[in-house]
Amino acid sequence: MTEPLKNVLGAQVRDLRLARRLSQEGLAEELGVSTRYLAGIERGERNLTLDSVDALAEQLGVEAQALVVRQ
């Protein structure tokens, strides 16, 4: 079974944030969200409507990443 898209997204957000040497507080402020909300995204706890993307990808017979990654 593949990793849920929201977990993949969370890991990507965290990696990009760290690569840019931003704190959660700094990035959350830039995005206009709370630090707690951003932490939830990074942990894959926030839905962000990605469950719908997973369902659509399953229906299309592709990995969910194929729907969100520019080819």
Side-chain angles (χ1 to χ4, degrees):
M1 180 176 238
T2 61
E3 185 176 10
L5 182 57
K6 57 188 176 181
N7 291 347
V8 172
L9 176 75
Q12 291 173 339
V13 169
R14 182 182 316 107
D15 290 347
L16 288 169
R17 178 179 60 76
L18 292 174
R20 293 179 180 168
R21 294 193 160 110
L22 292 170
S23 65
Q24 281 185 336
E25 293 83 3
L27 182 56
E29 185 175 323
E30 287 183 26
L31 295 171
V33 299
S34 70
T35 303
R36 183 176 175 180
Y37 188 79
L38 179 60
I41 291 170
E42 290 187 0
R43 289 191 303 268
E45 295 173 354
R46 297 294 176 172
N47 192 337
L48 302 177
T49 70
L50 293 177
D51 286 337
S52 297
V53 175
D54 282 335
L56 179 59
E58 184 174 322
Q59 288 300 104
L60 294 172
V62 297
E63 292 293 324
Q65 293 86 334
L67 298 178
V68 296
V69 175
R70 192 172 294 168
Q71 305 258 341

